[in-house]
Amino acid sequence: MRTDSSPGTLPAREHLPAGDAGTPVLDVVIPVYNEEKDLQPCVLRLHEHLKRTFPYAFRITIADNASIDTTPQVAARLESEIPEVKSFRLEQKGRGRALRTVWSASDAPILAYMDVDLSTDLNALLPLVAPLISGHSDLAIGSRLARSSRVVRGAKREFISRTYNLILRGSLQARFSDAQCGFKAIRRDVAQALLPLVEDTGWFFDTEMLVLAERAGLRIHEVPVDWVDDPNSTVHIVKTATEDLKGVWRVGKALASGSLPLDRVTRPFGDDPRDRDIQDVPKGLARQLVGFCVVGGLSTLFYLVLYSLFRQFGGSQVANALALLVSAVANTAANRRLTFGVRGRGGAVRHQAQGLVVFAIGLALTSGSLAALNAASSDPAHSTELAVLVAANLAATVLRFLLFRAWVFPDRGDSAEESKVVALNTPSSPTYSTATQYPHNPQNPQYPGSYAPLPQRQPQQSAYDTSPNTTQFRAGEAADGTWRDATMQLQPVRPHDTDPRDPR
């Protein structure tokens, strides 16, 4: 998994300011592969709809995934005829790769994409991006599985879609309803922080992005859509489903091991400047209790199985000590990741050492209980031993939670502030020219020659300069300069790797 983004937290969400009409607020990406017949009708229809209904300036970007038909020529003609249309070509296939490349280089504060077949009713586009413009949400998705959605498609695709989303809910605890509807949007500041963590370059890109965003605590807005299946779709269902399941396994393993630095993609409490200074905000005691109880229950079962196994080869005290030691290591690791949300390997050894101290306390309780039982009866039954150990473990569990919360995994609210690091990006070897760069603003030296991020409520000052210049980009990179916001600078993603699993 990619873990090379700059550490830090995202700034609080802000409503986009009312800027100049010529500044693109929305960039709608249409990834295409051999779509020479459908591309022009799609772009013309989308352009007409946005001109008629969208109250902000916009751009439509055609991302050609190495088409071998006349799609590049159609895209170039549309770009020359319509000012709001831009296009560029990728020499490697993959919808995820195309989205990452365009989104990483775009200057628009709201980034969206939709499939070229326009299966989704375009009336859902404004409700999709409105929560992002207002600062209410970080990502937005169209949902074909919401109760008020109206969907026309075959039973086979309906079954596969619902089964896949049930798998996501059961394996990755996903709470969003529709992972792969080709109708999504994201705020650019979120994309800059989130995309470096997304590894997939194909059809699983959407799912991985949403799962990581949800686990990081970002807000995902869902829009019920009217959707009509495209009977001429070229997606290979079986191959795509297989690759998606592999992606589910990979992401699930990464989340379980804590190898993803999701603490780098977080929001502060509240969107009012006064709220950002609030200290000692409760960190979810109820959720921690539930997680600790679940881990504790599983650890107790694991301990009892180990005790019964070790008891066959030794005495009760030796079996208890070995079983408790092994289960304590597993319990500390599970609580570290699942209950208290500590990710990464930093401090893992110290946490295990502190966990062993807690283990020693539990060993004293359980060993003392066994000693008392043996003193009361010279040959107690095995079931009696287990009952005594369960009672002793329950007492040790309560003490273990208190020690874990107050000593092993205390809430350090200032840790994120202490871990801020600045990383600069260095673009090189340009390959295409499509986007708009904001020039140096002498009134705002924070953004010299770089893409302006979402503003931080600065009175009498616009966060977006409107003087357009054409500049060169390398696929997947931003313009020459640095991305800046109130918290961090990030490196753009360079999706130059080849993904042999790409179903397209």
Side-chain angles (χ1 to χ4, degrees):
M1 304 294 292
R2 289 187 176 92
T3 59
D4 55 351
S5 63
S6 301
T9 58
L10 290 170
R13 287 183 295 264
E14 302 260 354
H15 194 301
L16 295 182
D20 185 87
T23 303
V25 171
L26 172 66
D27 192 349
V28 182
V29 181
I30 305 176
V32 293
Y33 174 71
N34 291 346
E35 299 287 356
E36 57 185 2
K37 295 182 178 179
D38 294 335
L39 179 56
Q40 179 169 327
C42 164
V43 172
L44 293 178
R45 179 182 165 194
L46 175 60
H47 180 264
E48 188 276 334
H49 177 83
L50 289 172
K51 274 286 190 181
R52 180 170 49 88
T53 65
F54 194 67
Y56 299 92
F58 63 88
R59 178 191 302 127
I60 300 173
T61 303
I62 303 170
D64 177 23
N65 284 184
S67 295
I68 57 176
D69 60 1
T70 62
T71 297
Q73 289 76 19
V74 175
R77 185 173 67 251
L78 290 169
E79 182 178 17
S80 64
E81 295 175 354
I82 305 175
E84 292 84 4
V85 174
K86 301 295 180 182
S87 70
F88 71 90
R89 177 178 173 84
L90 283 165
E91 297 302 331
Q92 296 170 318
K93 292 189 289 185
R95 181 178 69 172
R97 179 180 289 109
L99 294 177
R100 179 188 287 119
T101 302
V102 178
W103 283 355
S104 296
S106 179
D107 60 330
I110 304 298
L111 311 169
Y113 95 90
M114 61 181 62
D115 293 334
V116 70
D117 55 19
L118 293 186
S119 295
T120 305
D121 183 10
L122 292 178
N123 287 327
L125 182 56
L126 184 55
L128 182 80
V129 301
L132 308 186
I133 294 174
S134 70
H136 174 270
S137 300
D138 300 292
L139 300 92
I141 64 174
S143 175
R144 300 163 295 184
L145 303 180
R147 290 185 177 181
S148 57
S149 298
R150 297 187 298 179
V151 177
V152 178
R153 62 176 167 180
K156 179 181 179 180
R157 287 180 176 270
E158 180 76 11
F159 174 78
I160 292 176
S161 178
R162 291 188 178 275
T163 301
Y164 178 66
N165 283 280
L166 285 175
I167 291 174
L168 292 181
R169 288 176 176 270
S171 59
L172 300 179
Q173 289 79 51
R175 296 191 297 272
F176 47 86
S177 64
D178 193 351
Q180 290 197 320
C181 179
F183 196 69
K184 295 183 176 68
I186 185 173
R187 288 175 65 100
R188 186 170 65 94
D189 59 339
V190 176
Q192 290 176 2
L194 186 60
L195 293 185
L197 305 181
V198 180
E199 181 176 330
D200 192 80
T201 58
W203 291 90
F204 187 70
F205 174 88
D206 303 50
T207 301
E208 186 171 356
M209 178 181 68
L210 291 174
V211 169
L212 299 187
E214 189 174 72
R215 288 299 185 94
L218 300 181
R219 180 175 294 154
I220 301 175
H221 178 73
E222 294 198 17
V223 178
V225 298
D226 296 343
W227 195 85
V228 179
D229 189 17
D230 179 14
N232 299 318
S233 175
T234 59
V235 178
H236 301 287
I237 298 178
V238 176
K239 184 177 181 180
T240 301
T242 302
E243 297 301 325
D244 286 347
L245 292 177
K246 292 179 181 179
V248 170
W249 170 258
R250 172 177 55 80
V251 172
K253 184 170 62 174
L255 291 173
S257 64
S259 60
L260 287 170
L262 295 181
D263 52 333
R264 300 172 180 175
V265 192
T266 58
R267 290 288 193 191
F269 178 79
D271 63 354
D272 188 284
R274 295 167 298 180
D275 295 336
R276 300 168 201 171
D277 297 328
I278 292 179
Q279 303 295 327
D280 301 324
V281 178
K283 298 299 182 180
L285 175 62
R287 183 192 62 79
Q288 290 181 353
L289 279 172
V290 172
F292 185 83
C293 289
V294 171
V295 172
L298 295 176
S299 298
T300 301
L301 293 177
F302 184 49
Y303 162 80
L304 293 176
V305 171
L306 291 176
Y307 177 81
S308 299
L309 178 64
F310 293 146
R311 188 67 172 85
Q312 298 176 10
F313 305 99
S316 60
Q317 294 287 3
V318 174
N320 173 65
L322 290 176
L324 196 58
L325 176 62
V326 175
S327 61
V329 172
N331 180 277
T332 300
N335 277 307
R336 180 179 187 269
R337 171 63 185 89
L338 301 177
T339 303
F340 298 98
V342 180
R343 301 177 177 88
R345 298 181 179 180
V349 175
R350 175 175 57 83
H351 293 155
Q352 284 292 350
Q354 292 172 313
L356 289 178
V357 175
V358 179
F359 151 76
I361 297 175
L363 178 62
L365 286 174
T366 54
S367 297
S369 300
L370 282 177
L373 177 63
N374 291 328
S377 175
S378 59
D379 188 20
H382 183 64
S383 58
T384 304
E385 284 185 351
L386 292 180
V388 170
L389 289 174
V390 168
N393 266 286
L394 288 176
T397 297
V398 176
L399 182 60
R400 185 183 304 121
F401 176 77
L402 297 176
L403 290 175
F404 273 0
R405 182 175 172 84
W407 179 49
V408 183
F409 307 111
D411 177 31
R412 296 184 175 91
D414 57 346
S415 60
E417 186 71 23
E418 295 173 355
S419 66
K420 293 178 183 176
V421 177
V422 175
L424 300 179
N425 62 308
T426 307
S428 61
S429 51
T431 58
Y432 65 91
S433 173
T434 60
T436 303
Q437 185 185 18
Y438 299 110
H440 174 73
N441 186 348
Q443 296 181 350
N444 191 357
Q446 185 182 4
Y447 309 130
S450 65
Y451 289 139
L454 300 183
Q456 294 301 311
R457 284 187 182 173
Q458 299 173 357
Q460 307 301 325
Q461 182 174 331
S462 173
Y464 302 100
D465 200 323
T466 61
S467 302
N469 289 323
T470 300
T471 186
Q472 299 290 326
F473 297 96
R474 182 180 179 182
E477 295 188 1
D480 188 13
T482 59
W483 283 331
R484 296 178 182 267
D485 58 31
T487 309
M488 59 184 171
Q489 296 175 339
L490 297 173
Q491 288 185 342
V493 183
R494 298 172 176 83
H496 51 75
D497 54 326
T498 301
D499 188 355
R501 306 171 301 160
D502 193 341
R504 298 189 68 179

